[in-house]
Amino acid sequence: MGGAFTRYRVIAWIVGVALVVLVLIGMPLKYLFDDGSVVAVVGTAHGWLYMLYLALTFDLSRRVDWPLKRMLLVMLAGTVPFVSFYAERRVSHWLADGDRSRTPEPIAG
């Protein structure tokens, strides 16, 4: 589980940073200054990295026996700016506490 957890944490941060850059820098540049270069590069990178995030989240969730609802909520965290950072912290706490219960906690609560 240690390697899967480390891989998840790294990709969660990378996806989170890419999404923040895309939304806070790329989108304003595209729509306010008509410069879509950041969106083209970072948007494509975020898309591919998000696919990897999904695979690594799935891998971790199967190793620690998360319920489907928890796995899906953590997967969705990579689609909202800043939420992947929050989800990564929650996952860290769940695993540090040895929480392998079949009763999921909401991700945003």
Side-chain angles (χ1 to χ4, degrees), residues 9-83:
R9 289 186 75 186
V10 168
I11 196 66
W13 274 90
I14 292 171
V15 166
V17 168
L19 186 56
V20 167
V21 168
L22 179 63
V23 171
L24 296 182
I25 297 171
M27 298 304 266
L29 282 174
K30 180 177 180 177
Y31 292 107
L32 297 176
F33 301 102
D34 200 31
D35 180 2
S37 60
V38 174
V39 170
V41 173
V42 177
T44 301
H46 178 265
W48 286 104
L49 291 166
Y50 183 69
M51 297 297 175
L52 184 58
Y53 172 80
L54 292 176
L56 295 177
T57 301
F58 178 79
D59 177 52
L60 178 63
S61 72
R62 295 302 94 206
R63 290 174 189 262
V64 296
D65 197 32
W66 283 345
L68 180 63
K69 183 178 178 181
R70 178 177 287 181
M71 179 185 71
L72 292 175
L73 287 172
V74 173
M75 286 178 165
L76 286 173
T79 64
V80 181
F82 299 104
V83 176

